[in-house]
Structure formats: C-alpha cells, structure tokens
Amino acid sequence: MCPQPKRNTEKGLAERIPRMVYLSRGLYARVARRMKCDVSYVSRIARGERRSAKIEVALGREFRVVLRKLRLMPNPL
C-alpha cells in the first residue's frame, strides 16, 4: 500500500477562504430579512452581545446551509 502524499492544509485553507467568504456574504442580511429585524441586531446576537433564541436558531440554520454548499463544491486539492 502506497502512502498518500500529505496535503498542504494551509494552502488548501487559503484557497477555500474566498469561497467561504462568498457563500457567507449576506448571511446576517438573509437572517434579518427572514426574521423581520435589523441586520445590526442579528450581528449583535452573533457576537453574543444580545440574546434571541429564534435568531440564534436561524443563524445556525443559515450557517449550516453555507457549510453544506462548501462540502458540495469540489475540493481544489
């Protein structure tokens, strides 16, 4: 059995960051629109400055959508 070559994880991450940024762009705005509140309120909840169970759930749901899309995209490595 041949050993697998090691992947350069730093390079792989650096190549995936632009995709992650692109997919997560507007995440707070999407949640705010869906929850009918201000984007700054969603941002404060995400930073832990405020609490709202409903918005925290919506943020988690939207973040999982982004993660799912990242996994579906081909890995450049």
Side-chain angles (χ1 to χ4, degrees):
M1 191 169 177
C2 297
Q4 295 292 323
K6 290 187 178 185
R7 294 181 182 178
N8 185 343
T9 56
E10 288 181 21
K11 182 180 177 189
L13 179 60
E15 290 173 351
R16 283 181 279 185
I17 287 174
R19 288 191 304 185
M20 291 189 301
V21 169
Y22 173 77
L23 288 172
S24 61
R25 184 178 296 139
L27 187 138
Y28 294 171
R30 291 190 298 271
V31 170
R33 205 170 23 254
R34 186 175 305 122
M35 302 304 293
K36 295 180 172 68
C37 66
D38 195 77
V39 176
S40 65
Y41 185 60
V42 174
S43 175
R44 288 184 187 108
I45 292 168
R47 289 193 310 260
E49 295 174 10
R50 299 275 190 255
R51 295 288 312 217
S52 169
K54 289 180 181 180
I55 293 178
E56 289 170 6
V57 168
L59 277 167
R61 189 176 299 134
E62 189 65 32
F63 189 68
R64 283 189 295 276
V65 167
V66 169
L67 290 176
R68 235 179 282 124
K69 288 180 180 179
L70 281 172
R71 287 189 202 117
L72 292 176
M73 297 177 94
N75 190 346
L77 300 178

